[in-house]
Amino acid sequence: MNYEFFIAKRIIGSKSYKSSVSAPIIKIGITAIAVGIIVMLIAIATGIGLQKKVREKVIAFNGHLTINNYDSNISNESEFPVSTTQNFYPNFNTIEGVKHIQAVATKFGVIRTETDFEGTVLKGVGQDYDWSYLEDFLVEGNLPDYSNELHNEVLISSYLSNRLNFKVGDSFQMVFGKENIDEIPFIRQFNIVGVFNSGFQDIDKTFMLGDIRHVQRLNKWEKNQIGNFEVFINDYSKLKDMDAKIRAATPSNLNTQTIEERYYTTFEWIKIFDNNTYGIIAIMIIVAGINMITALLVLILERTQMIGVLKALGSSNWSIRKIFLYNATYLICLGLFWGNIIGLGLLFIQKQFSLLKFPDPEQYYVSIIPVHIGFDYIILLNIGTFIACFLMLMIPSIIITKISPIKAIRFE
């Protein structure tokens, strides 16, 4: 054991140290680090959690990427069909990382009741549709099954259900226009088997899900003609790379579009949370560092006579600085320990019991404040905070080199 560590350990363990003038300031420094870690953990966990939750909702209804025809259509309605006779469908085996591909088609229509009407888009899906993404959003009823004969069963949003006073088991008529507006429109009868609520109002008030064969018949398409393909990938972080690979693997007459391009405004909005999180981290580290600098300065001032004696006995400036840096390291670790215990405890409680909710769910697209707990950012945050605070403490420790042994021994 080196003597610097030995002396630092004796200082920390002494009763006079715990009841000295510097004790309250040291406690404030430890508290500052603990509070800083708590705030940073909450900021990162909720920021990442909100981003993931919003992203998952948009992806669940649209896929990570879509493959469709090149056209200038910016509406939610499929106008030009795409053939399902493709080498990448029904299994995209040529590219590693593609999880699933499914065919969909959309058709705008108006729901008509005796007292009201509402415009919405019928999103037609088939037997290849992966319902696992929507299971978490189902609030009532069951998911439809389109694997056999043509079905009139549909899945509507809670938004439509509340506006039109629909419930599971009800039937309604939906009117679809023709190219020639002078002709009598198509009318279809649908039965509600389930109600979903994504919390993403742009989706909830726009789409209802039904059998893709209805859209094909309304558009007079063949069985092998659909509106577009939705592609799901395994790793969202590789979205741009996968987009380039899928684009290269599809025919030149087909276009690919990522979910970030389709919902550009939404994804730009959730990226703002990264800037807010970085700002909070910077502020908390600066506050914690300043408090620790103050605590170290008080410790040095309180131990001025000891510094003078050690210098008189031949200790180097760096050796004495190490004593106080060991002491400060202990205080930093103590603050990090309690900060992690309290911070992670609060996050686990929120994740398990969902106690805190947003006052305006429509603004944030979720009702409950989501939490993402990842050991990667927890470890990096602790290491980064420790290094930042330690480096900040190197500056005040230079004061030790300016202390004269004779004056220090006489210091009262």
Side-chain angles (χ1 to χ4, degrees), residues 328-349:
T329 299
Y330 166 76
L331 301 179
I332 294 173
C333 291
L334 199 60
L336 291 176
F337 173 78
W338 286 111
N340 281 281
I341 292 294
I342 299 172
L344 292 175
L346 293 173
L347 292 176
F348 276 113
I349 291 173

Side-chain angles (χ1 to χ4, degrees), residues 42-43 45-47 49-50 53 346-347 349-361 364-372:
I42 293 174
T46 54
L50 184 60
K53 202 68 177 178
L346 293 173
L347 292 176
I349 291 173
Q350 174 64 15
K351 189 176 181 67
Q352 189 69 29
F353 301 103
S354 302
L355 300 178
L356 300 178
K357 299 181 179 181
F358 284 112
D360 187 6
Y364 292 94
Y365 304 118
V366 290
S367 57
I368 298 170
I369 298 178
V371 169
H372 172 74

Side-chain angles (χ1 to χ4, degrees), residues 64-65 233 235-247 256 258-261 268 271:
H64 292 88
L65 302 102
I233 62 177
D235 189 353
Y236 176 81
S237 64
K238 298 179 180 179
L239 181 63
K240 291 185 178 179
D241 182 50
M242 291 297 294
D243 179 39
K245 290 181 179 179
I246 292 172
R247 187 186 298 271
T256 63
T258 66
I259 192 64
E260 291 184 357
E261 292 170 342
E268 285 299 307
K271 286 179 183 178

Side-chain angles (χ1 to χ4, degrees), residues 49-246:
L50 184 60
Q51 288 179 329
K52 287 175 66 66
K53 202 68 177 178
V54 174
R55 189 167 63 226
E56 287 171 0
K57 289 184 176 185
V58 180
I59 291 171
F61 284 87
N62 300 274
H64 292 88
L65 302 102
T66 57
I67 303 174
N68 51 16
N69 278 312
Y70 280 100
D71 58 60
S72 58
N73 177 28
I74 59 174
S75 69
N76 289 310
E77 185 170 359
S78 304
E79 291 187 1
F80 304 101
V82 179
S83 174
T84 56
T85 308
Q86 308 285 347
N87 57 8
F88 57 79
Y89 181 79
N91 298 305
F92 215 135
N93 297 323
T94 57
I95 298 178
E96 185 178 354
V98 175
K99 184 178 182 180
H100 179 67
I101 183 170
Q102 58 197 26
V104 300
T106 53
K107 183 72 174 178
F108 177 79
V110 176
I111 298 176
R112 185 178 65 181
T113 67
E114 293 181 357
T115 59
D116 209 344
F117 64 91
E118 184 74 21
T120 188
V121 175
L122 171 63
K123 180 175 181 178
V125 301
Q127 59 183 357
D128 64 345
Y129 194 76
D130 189 355
W131 292 102
S132 62
Y133 291 94
L134 294 183
E135 287 178 344
D136 293 338
F137 305 134
L138 189 68
V139 294
E140 190 179 353
N142 303 299
L143 296 171
D145 180 12
Y146 302 136
S147 58
N148 297 313
E149 69 277 358
L150 178 65
H151 278 284
N152 291 329
E153 297 177 347
V154 294
L155 197 66
I156 68 169
S157 67
S158 57
Y159 174 87
L160 287 176
S161 176
N162 295 331
R163 280 185 61 85
L164 301 175
N165 295 317
F166 283 158
K167 61 181 183 297
V168 173
D170 287 350
S171 299
F172 63 87
Q173 287 185 338
M174 193 166 182
V175 180
F176 299 92
K178 296 182 179 180
E179 291 185 10
N180 187 351
I181 59 175
D182 294 328
E183 294 182 5
I184 300 175
F186 296 112
I187 299 177
R188 293 291 185 270
Q189 184 89 7
F190 293 113
N191 304 319
I192 302 172
V193 295
V195 178
F196 69 87
N197 181 20
S198 71
F200 201 94
Q201 195 174 36
D202 288 346
I203 292 175
D204 288 352
K205 70 180 182 181
T206 303
F207 295 104
M208 56 178 278
L209 280 76
D211 198 323
I212 193 173
R213 287 167 288 191
H214 283 296
V215 179
Q216 290 172 330
R217 288 188 177 188
L218 290 167
N219 289 337
K220 297 181 181 180
W221 290 349
E222 300 296 331
K223 290 183 178 180
N224 66 338
Q225 292 181 314
I226 52 96
N228 59 272
F229 296 99
E230 293 179 345
V231 183
F232 294 86
I233 62 177
N234 293 320
D235 189 353
Y236 176 81
S237 64
K238 298 179 180 179
L239 181 63
K240 291 185 178 179
D241 182 50
M242 291 297 294
D243 179 39
K245 290 181 179 179
I246 292 172

Side-chain angles (χ1 to χ4, degrees), residues 1-10 310-311 314-316 318-320 323 326:
M1 180 185 294
N2 59 54
Y3 95 93
E4 295 96 343
F5 182 76
F6 174 77
I7 295 175
K9 189 176 179 182
R10 291 294 299 270
L310 290 174
K311 282 193 173 187
S315 293
S316 64
W318 174 240
S319 180
I320 299 172
I323 294 173
Y326 277 133

